[in-house]
Amino acid sequence: MNPSLAAAQAAAPALSRALITLLAFCCGAIVANIYYAQPIVGLIAPDLGLSAERASLIVSLTQLGYALGLLLVPLADLVENRRLMVFTAVLACASLLLAGTSSHGQGLLFLGYALLIGFSSVAVQMLIPLAAHLAPEQQRGRVVGNIMGGLLLGILLARPLSSLVADHFGWRMVFIGAAGLMLAIILLLVLTLPRRVPDHKASYAALMVSLIALLRQYPVLRQRSLYQALMFGAFSLYWTAVPLVLAQEHGLSQSQIALFALVGAVGAIAAPLAGRLADAGHARAASLLALVLAPVALLLGLTAPGYSVIGLAMTGVLLDFAVQMNMVIGQREVYALDPASRGRLNALYMTSIFLGGALGSAAASAVFSDYGWQGVAVLGALLPGLALAAFLLVARREPAR
């Protein structure tokens, strides 16, 4: 390890178990903002005067906003981290409140709020590199995996929570409640998060230009970004389309859809497991497992048992497990490339992932409308299948790591 880096790490405040738990909770609560709307677009769109064709834009614009917001993440390599996170969290709180107070006929305005909710929920991608910076090298995979477990639980629990709240209190209360939770997160960040002032002295413009250099410099960054973008595209395609299938073809209520989505949270165990496997030197084998499991899970939907409610739930669990495992392993490998550039590396990695997710969500309604669940399953399996093919091609050219 570089002596100056070792000295900086030694001087950094240690990550206690309590702080790791806090960071995991904050990550989950913040990232949930992006997913609250996913299972309830069928309630939001007609109430605000949006057509059925524009309904899926609520989800895709939120994810697109998140991808655009990741342009703020390189600032974590330039300005004091806590202040930056608090700023984005305040913006998220205001955006959620505006969305929750939207009235009939303000559908286009709500789409703007959806974009802003995604844009302002990027504090999570500053928290994770901060944790990686504070964690010792030999425990970095485990720490990042545990925090990613909280983040992924937030992704998975946001859907059932929003379905339950919308079913009993109306969809607006989902966003108003989320705004209240963000206010609590702001207080937690201010009171407990350690300060971190980066060593970089370059301008923001120089940092943004350096993104291109980092992308060119590190093949691992390009590879891992591609794999996870395709995996997350399949993930978003599935979770945007499956509530439509459950409601329209299986007759489930919003509360029943919430219970269905809750089953998918079982897949969150993949995050800590992936971190431990990566720390133990099994990153390549674990990635191969994830990339094989994802298309197999989606192809189950082409069978009669796989199209049942139980079969669809099994697909969700296996897909979540695969996507999360591959994400954590990719994140650990990307963070190891250049510790001084983790904010920018994370921005590139996560931007590609959420662009893939936005495209998957945007395609969901049209694919389901034109080709039914079979079309969703085939397209969903094709995306991680392409990632698997790319992974195997790279593996043939490179020695085992």
Side-chain angles (χ1 to χ4, degrees):
M1 181 184 289
N2 183 292
S4 62
L5 178 61
Q9 192 175 69
L15 269 180
S16 66
R17 182 173 299 181
L19 184 55
I20 293 172
T21 302
L22 174 67
L23 292 177
F25 170 76
C26 290
C27 283
I30 294 169
V31 81
N33 296 335
I34 310 169
Y35 296 95
Y36 287 132
Q38 202 167 66
I40 57 173
V41 290
L43 300 176
I44 299 172
D47 198 12
L48 295 180
L50 287 171
S51 65
E53 292 76 15
R54 288 182 173 178
S56 63
L57 285 176
I58 295 171
V59 177
S60 57
L61 282 173
T62 305
Q63 292 184 332
L64 180 60
Y66 191 78
L68 293 173
L70 288 167
L71 295 174
L72 296 177
V73 175
L75 285 172
D77 290 336
L78 187 62
V79 302
E80 199 278 308
N81 286 191
R82 183 174 62 186
R83 183 184 306 169
L84 185 59
M85 290 180 224
V86 169
F87 167 76
T88 57
V90 169
L91 187 59
C93 183
S95 306
L96 289 161
L97 190 60
L98 287 170
T101 54
S102 298
S103 57
H104 184 74
Q106 294 185 327
L108 293 180
L109 196 58
F110 184 89
L111 291 178
Y113 296 150
L115 187 73
L116 192 56
I117 288 169
F119 180 83
S120 59
S121 295
V122 294
V124 64
Q125 298 306 333
M126 303 169 195
L127 281 167
I128 299 170
L130 176 61
H133 171 80
L134 296 174
E137 171 65 28
Q138 67 273 17
Q139 296 178 9
R140 184 164 297 130
R142 181 177 301 180
V143 168
V144 171
N146 286 336
I147 293 174
M148 283 298 294
L151 179 145
L152 295 165
L153 274 175
I155 292 175
L156 295 170
L157 294 177
R159 290 184 292 263
L161 180 62
S162 68
S163 291
L164 284 172
V165 172
D167 204 22
H168 294 284
F169 304 104
W171 67 263
R172 288 178 176 81
M173 189 55 64
V174 173
F175 294 94
I176 293 172
L181 181 57
M182 285 305 302
L183 184 59
I185 293 296
I186 291 166
L187 294 175
L188 284 173
L189 293 176
V190 170
L191 295 174
T192 65
L193 199 65
R195 285 175 51 85
R196 178 187 173 241
V197 181
D199 296 330
H200 279 282
K201 303 302 180 186
S203 65
Y204 176 71
L207 283 179
M208 295 304 294
V209 170
S210 73
L211 293 176
I212 300 173
L214 289 171
L215 198 58
R216 289 176 175 172
Q217 183 178 357
Y218 296 115
V220 169
L221 173 62
R222 298 194 299 271
Q223 294 157 11
R224 284 292 173 180
S225 297
L226 174 64
Y227 304 155
Q228 196 59 25
L230 291 167
M231 291 280 278
F232 206 68
F235 175 92
S236 295
L237 176 71
Y238 170 86
W239 282 109
T240 303
V242 80
L244 301 175
V245 178
L246 294 171
Q248 296 177 20
E249 300 189 11
H250 291 283
L252 269 62
S253 67
Q254 284 295 323
S255 293
Q256 290 170 328
I257 292 172
L259 293 175
F260 176 95
L262 191 60
V263 173
V266 174
I269 63 172
L273 175 61
R276 285 162 173 76
L277 288 172
D279 284 342
H282 304 303
R284 178 170 289 186
S287 282
L288 179 60
L289 171 63
L291 293 170
V292 169
L293 188 59
V296 169
L298 284 153
L299 289 174
L300 289 175
L302 297 178
T303 67
Y307 187 64
S308 67
V309 173
I310 293 175
L312 291 172
M314 182 60 66
T315 293
V317 170
L318 295 176
L319 180 62
D320 289 353
F321 184 92
V323 170
Q324 292 162 23
M325 175 171 282
N326 196 64
M327 179 182 285
V328 171
I329 290 171
Q331 220 159 8
R332 189 188 190 282
E333 290 199 352
V334 167
Y335 287 165
L337 295 174
D338 182 3
S341 303
R342 283 194 182 119
R344 285 165 289 160
L345 291 169
N346 193 60
L348 289 166
Y349 181 63
M350 298 307 298
T351 297
S352 65
I353 291 171
F354 279 90
L355 284 174
L359 291 174
S361 295
S365 295
V367 172
F368 177 67
S369 176
D370 293 341
Y371 303 103
W373 182 252
Q374 289 72 23
V376 172
V378 170
L379 178 58
L382 178 62
L383 295 175
L386 291 173
L388 174 61
F391 177 85
L392 293 175
L393 284 174
V394 170
R396 289 183 61 184
R397 296 198 307 261
E398 295 180 353
R401 293 194 296 272

